[in-house]
Amino acid sequence: MILAHLPALEVVVPLIAAPLTLVLRRASIAWALTTAACAISFVVALLLAVEVARGGPISYAIGSWAPPWGIEYRVDALSSFMLVLVSGIATVVAPYALRSVATELRGGQGTLLYTMFCLCVAGLLGMSITGDAFNLFVFMEIASLSSYVLIALGRDRRALLASFQYLILGTIGATFFVIGVGLLFLKTGTLNLADMADRLHGESTDRAVRAALAFIVVGMSLKLALFPLHLWLPNAYTYAPSTVTALLAATATKVSVYVLMRFYFDVFGLHLLTRVLPMQDILMGLSILAIVTASLVAVWQTDLKRLFAYSSVAQIGYITLGIALGTREGLTAAIVHLFNHGITKGALFLLLGLVAYYTGRTPISSVRGLARSMPLTTFGITLAGLSLVGVPGTAGFVSKWTLVLAAFEADQWWLGGIVVATSLIAVAYVWRFVEAAYLSAPAVPSPVPRDRPLSMVVPAWILVGACIWFGFDTSYTVDAARRAATLLLEAAQ
Amino acid sequence: MSVLGHYNYWVTVFLMTAGLYIVIARGNLVKKLIGLSIFQTSVYLLYVAPGKVIGGTAPIIAPGYTLYSNPLPHVLILTAIVVGVATLALGLALAVRIHEQYGSIEEDEILAADREAEERA
């Protein structure tokens, strides 16, 4: 009985937990509830993934209104992959919040953070699971509005302006998206994504459809921080509380990439993207610019959180590069990197939060000689940094390897060269941390030794462990990604 | 006919570009939010106007009526309006907090204050 309603539970559990945390007021109870809600979502996501792998896509009619009239929740290989990533990261990050939030936030605001945390997770899960274009917009706004609040909760007053700028750009992005959906709705008379795709075939070169494509791509590019539209991201990641940075960096932009892929391949199809409009070429150009520019900018940063924020912009470039190739291997690489970059950045920002727990801030000067006072944390950041570079034996290597192979297979040898060359720039910015932490004399005054809360250390190391684990065992990531890519390309033909 | 007949789209396009222009061109945070609201409002019109069929009535089956307007866009926009209100409220709340912290809601003054604080640190 309850198993039939798993798709609804996935979203409803964190959504109901959100107001409950607000009513219960006590931060510790709110924290326990948040952790429990995320864990339940994770279990449900795993059950759904097993179910989809065994029996194919699941369609769930909300309120028993049959699609395409009612809202449909649709779980297929790709969306179940996203659900596992989002709920998994949330489950790891939520326990971490307890101590980190207590030190980083003013009293009384802790409870609010948990409320927003639950809402944000519910929104992101909803975006991944829904098969309805307008429902997707509503979930996107739930996730966005709560993440604006989460960022504004940062201790530094600059967090407020960062949040405001993100609110402006994020709302413009969401509105562009909804304009695109509106044009598609006028054209097809339906909001169900699968139904929309069916009706568009044959007349997909219409001007309204082309305009809709442009609006949706620009809107989602703002949300996923594609290169010239990434301006909100560095400040938002730098000034948000550590917990929030880890959650958003690992999930929010990734879900936006997922939405872009859905519309690209499921709704519009390859004919429109390659023959009618040069979408793939534009995306490829922007991706390369993102990778090169953002990597170079990252090298010159003086704050570690900002450094890794720019690195995120570059890594998103690798993901969109895979999408721009438009082949099965390219898409596989994109989806694998979505996952691997999520866990790598999650690990990095959690460990940086641990550094901030001791030093208060994260400028590079504050981590000088850190290897002596915090050897394990330093080692963890180095490991995650290696995964960012793509050193063999780490998750990052698997995705870069898949991407380079995809480039070769598409006869774009030079692209493979760019991927390898830009990985060397990543070496440069990771080296800045390594140099400061291992080779410099300790900062004066050296960080005050405090207790090491297990609730912060364990989640961070789970993600570092995942970076290594998925560097060796690719059976889950690459195979699931390949299934998802095959499905997308079948729909796109 | 085709130019004038599409006047609802002209209004939509005007509101859209005007709103977006205000967001980009103005440095005052509240004015930015006003622009953002106008920009979002244009979308309401984009959805609602085509839903009206001239001579059509509410979709209730009754003798004598055969032409109906589509009610779905209205329902969608009701949701979008709620989202817009929430965004505006949050934006204004942030502007209040920024004013408390910086004593200004002009973007260039805030950025200058940040630069000054950074140089002092």
Side-chain angles (χ1 to χ4, degrees):
Chain A
M1 166 64 200
I2 197 143
L3 283 178
H5 295 289
L6 284 180
L9 277 177
E10 178 71 31
V11 182
V12 166
V13 170
L15 199 59
I16 290 183
L20 283 182
T21 55
L22 193 63
V23 173
L24 292 172
R25 300 214 72 85
R26 285 271 301 280
S28 53
I29 301 175
W31 167 78
L33 195 64
T34 306
T35 311
C38 292
I40 293 173
S41 286
F42 186 45
V43 171
V44 173
L46 288 177
L47 287 174
L48 282 172
V50 171
E51 191 72 23
V52 168
R54 203 178 44 201
I58 303 170
S59 168
Y60 180 85
I62 292 287
S64 300
W65 291 88
W69 297 284
I71 293 170
E72 181 193 18
Y73 277 11
R74 199 171 166 75
V75 193
D76 59 15
L78 183 57
S79 48
S80 76
F81 191 72
M82 291 308 297
L83 292 175
V84 170
L85 173 68
V86 173
S87 58
I89 295 279
T91 311
V92 176
V93 173
Y96 180 95
L98 181 66
R99 296 295 296 275
S100 177
V101 167
T103 50
E104 284 187 22
L105 261 62
R106 281 178 290 273
Q109 290 188 333
T111 324
L112 291 176
L113 185 133
Y114 294 114
T115 311
M116 291 299 142
F117 192 98
C118 287
L119 271 183
C120 188
V121 171
L124 293 173
L125 290 173
M127 282 169 80
S128 311
I129 205 171
T130 189
D132 183 279
F134 205 84
N135 194 232
L136 204 162
F137 163 70
V138 174
F139 275 125
M140 184 156 73
E141 284 295 32
I142 291 177
S144 304
L145 284 167
S146 50
S147 56
Y148 306 148
V149 179
L150 284 172
I151 291 164
L153 284 172
R155 190 166 29 178
D156 197 304
R157 67 175 181 174
R158 281 171 288 187
L160 293 170
L161 194 63
S163 167
F164 189 87
Q165 280 165 340
Y166 183 22
L167 180 134
I168 297 284
L169 289 176
T171 307
I172 292 177
T175 311
F176 265 58
F177 174 79
V178 88
I179 292 170
V181 170
L183 293 173
L184 284 178
F185 175 61
L186 292 182
K187 188 75 206 157
T188 60
T190 180
L191 288 166
N192 184 292
L193 290 180
D195 197 29
M196 207 181 253
D198 280 347
R199 286 163 190 245
L200 277 179
H201 278 289
E203 50 179 348
S204 53
T205 54
D206 192 275
R207 187 183 290 163
V209 178
R210 278 181 283 158
L213 173 67
F215 273 115
I216 289 176
V217 169
V218 172
M220 289 324 292
S221 301
L222 258 168
K223 285 275 175 195
L224 66 86
L226 185 65
F227 168 61
L229 305 173
H230 68 282
L231 292 173
W232 58 268
L233 186 142
N235 276 335
Y237 282 13
T238 310
Y239 300 120
S242 308
T243 319
V244 175
T245 310
L247 177 75
L248 293 184
T251 56
T253 47
K254 312 292 173 293
V255 174
S256 300
V257 173
Y258 159 82
V259 173
L260 183 68
M261 284 200 276
R262 269 268 172 254
F263 273 89
Y264 242 55
F265 296 102
D266 271 9
V267 177
F268 291 110
L270 275 178
H271 175 71
L272 183 66
L273 298 174
T274 50
R275 311 250 171 77
V276 182
L277 290 169
M279 293 310 289
Q280 298 294 62
D281 298 339
I282 296 173
L283 191 64
M284 185 172 290
L286 291 178
S287 306
I288 294 170
L289 272 177
I291 297 171
V292 176
T293 320
S295 299
L296 284 175
V297 172
V299 177
W300 304 111
Q301 293 308 310
T302 52
D303 185 280
L304 280 172
K305 270 176 110 178
R306 187 181 284 274
L307 188 155
F308 287 116
Y310 274 106
S311 142
S312 271
V313 177
Q315 300 289 328
I316 288 162
Y318 290 112
I319 300 174
T320 46
L321 188 64
I323 299 176
L325 281 173
T327 59
R328 196 168 81 115
E329 289 307 306
L331 271 177
T332 308
I335 299 166
V336 169
H337 198 49
L338 210 75
F339 185 88
N340 288 342
H341 179 240
I343 53 176
T344 307
K345 267 295 148 57
L348 266 174
F349 281 119
L350 286 185
L351 288 167
L352 281 180
L354 211 55
V355 174
Y357 183 74
Y358 293 96
T359 61
R361 287 168 171 238
T362 54
I364 290 186
S365 57
S366 73
V367 299
R368 269 192 276 154
L370 195 75
R372 267 172 248 182
S373 48
M374 303 171 75
L376 271 178
T377 306
T378 314
F379 182 59
I381 297 180
T382 313
L383 277 183
L386 290 179
S387 172
L388 214 53
V389 173
V391 173
T394 59
F397 173 72
V398 176
S399 31
K400 294 247 170 89
W401 176 252
T402 331
L403 188 59
V404 170
L405 282 187
F408 285 174
E409 200 196 58
D411 278 337
Q412 314 251 29
W413 294 81
W414 57 281
L415 269 184
I418 287 181
V419 171
V420 175
T422 47
S423 296
L424 293 179
I425 312 182
V427 174
Y429 61 68
V430 173
W431 176 253
R432 294 204 61 196
F433 168 79
V434 174
E435 186 193 18
Y438 280 102
L439 304 177
S440 302
V444 192
S446 60
V448 195
R450 290 168 78 169
D451 61 317
R452 297 192 176 202
L454 272 183
S455 67
M456 289 172 75
V457 174
V458 172
W461 276 93
I462 288 176
L463 286 185
V464 175
C467 289
I468 305 294
W469 175 269
F470 289 110
F472 288 102
D473 178 16
T474 58
S475 58
Y476 174 65
T477 47
V478 176
D479 293 353
R482 186 159 289 135
R483 269 201 303 279
T486 313
L487 209 73
L488 276 180
L489 281 178
E490 271 169 19
Q493 292 307 327
Chain B
M1 165 63 200
S2 66
V3 174
L4 276 181
H6 289 141
Y7 72 93
N8 57 320
Y9 290 110
W10 293 115
V11 177
T12 307
V13 169
F14 171 73
L15 287 176
M16 216 175 260
T17 39
L20 204 53
Y21 176 79
I22 297 171
V23 175
I24 297 164
R26 294 290 147 188
N28 185 304
L29 301 188
V30 174
K31 285 183 184 165
K32 269 183 191 293
L33 287 174
I34 293 172
L36 198 65
S37 270
I38 296 174
F39 179 52
Q40 286 182 305
T41 308
S42 72
V43 181
Y44 308 160
L45 193 60
L46 176 75
Y47 271 73
V48 170
K52 170 69 185 166
V53 177
I54 294 171
T57 175
I60 301 166
I61 296 173
Y65 297 100
T66 50
L67 194 61
Y68 304 114
S69 285
N70 188 350
L72 186 60
H74 298 73
V75 182
L76 296 178
I77 286 317
L78 216 54
T79 317
I81 289 173
V82 174
V83 170
V85 168
T87 311
L88 187 62
L90 180 59
L92 288 172
L94 281 174
V96 169
R97 289 291 312 279
I98 289 173
H99 188 259
E100 279 172 12
Q101 295 284 326
Y102 288 88
S104 166
I105 50 165
E106 295 291 337
E107 204 173 23
D108 44 357
E109 287 175 20
I110 296 166
L111 292 175
D114 271 344
R115 265 196 302 277
E116 218 173 90
E118 245 165 62
E119 276 160 21
R120 248 185 285 128

